[in-house]
Amino acid sequence: MLSLDLRTFIFTVINVLVLVFFLYRFLFKPVREILAARQNELDNSYREAEEANQKANALKKQYEDTMAQVDAERQEKLEKTRLQATSEYDEIIGNAREKATKIIADAKIEAQRQAEQKQHEMEEEVAMLVAKAAYKIAASKDSVENNQKLYDTFLEDAEKKG
């Protein structure tokens, strides 16, 4: 059977305690230090990743703000250009209308002047024809037949000239 000897028991307990001491000292402690170091590395990596993420978010926000500012400036310049183009368009149209009005007024004045000149020329021609007819009447005998000839000649001359 199994016998229990105190000496063996004490020796076994001492052996177990020495074994636990050596295991703790050379196995558990280094393994825990390695695990702690690894945990620190992971924590540092997570912290660095979080910092990088925050920096990236800050840069993204800065980029978005810059783009919003650029877009606002672009819209402002576009609106300014539109207003300037509208102003120039209105000015060009105004100048064109003024020129057109002046050309029309000048054309009316010229047409009226030409019409008056033609009327004056016609009056002179009629006066000359009347003078010729009067001369012929005065130079010829007074007869109805002669008057009729002179009247027909006057009308033929007037038709030829007109």
Side-chain angles (χ1 to χ4, degrees), residues 2 8 23 32 37 40 46 58 61 71 76 81 89 133 161:
L2 248 269
T8 309
L23 284 176
R32 283 187 188 174
N40 285 339
Y46 283 131
K61 180 162 178 25
D71 190 43
E76 182 181 322
T81 303
Y89 171 79
K161 302 255 179 180

Side-chain angles (χ1 to χ4, degrees), residues 110-136:
E110 182 63 24
Q112 185 178 3
R113 188 189 61 76
Q114 287 179 357
E116 288 174 358
Q117 184 180 1
K118 287 290 182 186
Q119 184 177 359
H120 182 67
E121 289 174 3
M122 295 289 274
E123 286 174 356
E124 285 179 358
E125 264 187 62
V126 168
M128 190 171 298
L129 288 174
V130 169
K132 281 184 184 178
Y135 176 73
K136 288 182 182 178

Side-chain angles (χ1 to χ4, degrees), residues 12-151:
T12 305
V13 168
I14 291 174
N15 280 338
V16 169
L17 287 176
V18 168
L19 181 64
V20 168
F21 172 75
F22 282 119
L23 284 176
Y24 179 77
R25 175 107 169 127
F26 295 110
L27 181 64
F28 294 137
K29 190 174 181 183
V31 169
R32 283 187 188 174
E33 288 175 359
I34 290 172
L35 289 177
R38 180 69 180 139
Q39 185 64 40
N40 285 339
E41 287 179 20
L42 287 174
D43 290 343
N44 287 339
S45 294
Y46 283 131
R47 192 179 330 88
E48 288 173 1
E50 186 62 33
E51 288 173 3
N53 192 20
Q54 288 175 354
K55 286 180 182 177
N57 286 337
L59 287 174
K60 180 182 176 188
K61 180 162 178 25
Q62 182 182 3
Y63 169 77
E64 288 173 351
D65 291 344
T66 303
M67 289 307 293
Q69 184 180 6
V70 167
D71 190 43
E73 288 176 6
R74 183 182 60 84
Q75 289 293 342
E76 182 181 322
K77 286 181 181 180
L78 187 62
E79 188 61 31
K80 184 179 177 182
T81 303
R82 280 188 190 133
L83 290 174
Q84 185 179 3
T86 302
S87 174
E88 288 177 8
Y89 171 79
D90 291 342
E91 183 180 340
I92 289 170
I93 294 298
N95 289 342
R97 285 187 178 144
E98 287 177 15
K99 286 180 183 178
T101 303
K102 187 176 186 296
I103 289 171
I104 290 171
D106 290 348
K108 284 181 181 178
I109 291 170
E110 182 63 24
Q112 185 178 3
R113 188 189 61 76
Q114 287 179 357
E116 288 174 358
Q117 184 180 1
K118 287 290 182 186
Q119 184 177 359
H120 182 67
E121 289 174 3
M122 295 289 274
E123 286 174 356
E124 285 179 358
E125 264 187 62
V126 168
M128 190 171 298
L129 288 174
V130 169
K132 281 184 184 178
Y135 176 73
K136 288 182 182 178
I137 290 174
S140 67
K141 295 182 189 172
D142 271 341
S143 70
V144 174
E145 186 177 303
N146 206 14
N147 286 343
Q148 188 63 35
K149 277 186 185 179
L150 285 175
Y151 181 69

